Amino acid sequence: MEKRFVFVVFSLAIGVVQSVNAEVPAIFVLGDSTSDVGTNNYLPQSTIKANFPHHGVDFPFAIPTGRFSNGFNTADYLAKLFGFKKSPPPFFSQNVKFSIKIRKFRGINFSSAGSGLLGSTGQTTPLQKNVVTMGEQLLQFSTVHNDLLAFKGPLETEKFLSKSLFFISIGSNDIMNNYYSSNPIPKEYFIPKLGLVYEKHLRNLISLGARKFGIVSVPALGCCPSQRIYQANGECLEELNNQARAFFSTMKLLLGNLRLEYKDIKYSLGNTVDMTLNVIDNALAFNFKYVKTACCGSGTLNAQGSCTPISDLCSNRNEYLFWDSFHPTQTASKLAAFTLYGGEPRFVSPINFSQLPDA
């Protein structure tokens, strides 16, 4: 049954990809390492980078682009499904004003590995620029909004942004950092706190013209190889999974309330906890042989060390769910994107991503 679902999703997505292309003028991506395509390469002091081997081993020409993957990530595959070649480029790499002026502007990826909803997440010291926080990503988008206004005018900018898609994937680092802090805030207080901050960020985006949101919730964090190594028999750390579930429930309520207030916004919320657990529970149906072990790393479950040029590297990468101790392989990222794009309500609701342009 699960294998049939995979084929249905792939055929649905492939069948409509060309028809939605003209309806999506641009894609904007905000988030963390799950969608970063090289932002941290431009932060000289950042310690959270992936611009070296074995990262990118399956990317065209084996280039380590800064993606925490052996190839493309979920942001890339979502963009492909909407007719783009891959994710838009990082904010720091693009001359936004020139792109808008010559009418080649198709969006930007603001995502920064290690970042979170909270301004403190990912930052080691006030003087060291380790990540671009979510708040700073919104400030970057506000400069893009001003550039669009300058070249297109208010009416054309409003139309352009109202048809554009905004993909957001963030929250994992906040939960992980709090969980492992010396004085963690209880889940009952911390998750609602994250929800309030998320709401603030979404309201800011709405005020700047965003109307169509593809939200990727926090995945089953406790099933990452980095967490399994601390559990008997390499099982999942259920407390972290419970926090991810609580975060999804918070997001579901938050987005529903925002929809009541802003009648013209549309959203799709991906339940990546259930998506991840469904793959783990039905691994062979999804053609995965290894769902506990990382492809690139060292030590127990190949998850005690990060992925570096001297790490152990698996050869059968398509059979692995996890690329390193935290991040999915290119194959897993592709599956996630196709599920978000054309999946059933169990995994993505109230509509799936493919329905956002027409909503």
Side-chain angles (χ1 to χ4, degrees), residues 30-31 115-121 132-139 141 166 168 170-171 174 193-210 213 215 247 251 254-255 258 262:
L30 302 96
S115 66
L117 290 161
L118 303 177
S120 58
T121 300
V132 181
T133 67
M134 185 65 170
E136 291 169 332
Q137 292 178 39
L138 263 70
L139 288 175
F141 175 70
F166 290 76
I168 307 176
I170 202 162
D174 300 286
K193 175 182 177 180
L194 292 183
L196 289 174
V197 177
Y198 212 134
E199 179 181 353
K200 176 184 175 182
H201 292 321
L202 287 174
R203 287 183 182 276
N204 285 339
L205 283 171
I206 292 170
S207 71
L208 292 170
F213 298 93
I215 307 293
F247 185 83
M251 289 305 302
L254 161 63
L255 289 166
L258 280 178
Y262 299 96

Side-chain angles (χ1 to χ4, degrees), residues 124-167:
T124 51
T125 69
L127 298 178
Q128 181 177 346
K129 189 64 177 173
N130 211 34
V131 303
V132 181
T133 67
M134 185 65 170
E136 291 169 332
Q137 292 178 39
L138 263 70
L139 288 175
Q140 291 176 343
F141 175 70
S142 70
T143 67
V144 174
H145 178 262
N146 289 337
D147 290 338
L148 286 168
L149 284 174
F151 285 96
K152 291 178 174 289
L155 292 180
E156 187 62 27
T157 296
E158 180 182 357
K159 180 180 178 181
F160 180 85
L161 292 177
S162 69
K163 292 185 176 182
S164 297
L165 300 182
F166 290 76
F167 299 147

Side-chain angles (χ1 to χ4, degrees), residues 1-15:
M1 180 178 177
E2 300 300 341
K3 183 175 285 189
R4 180 190 67 79
F5 171 69
V6 175
F7 294 142
V8 170
V9 171
F10 269 68
S11 61
L12 279 172
I14 293 171

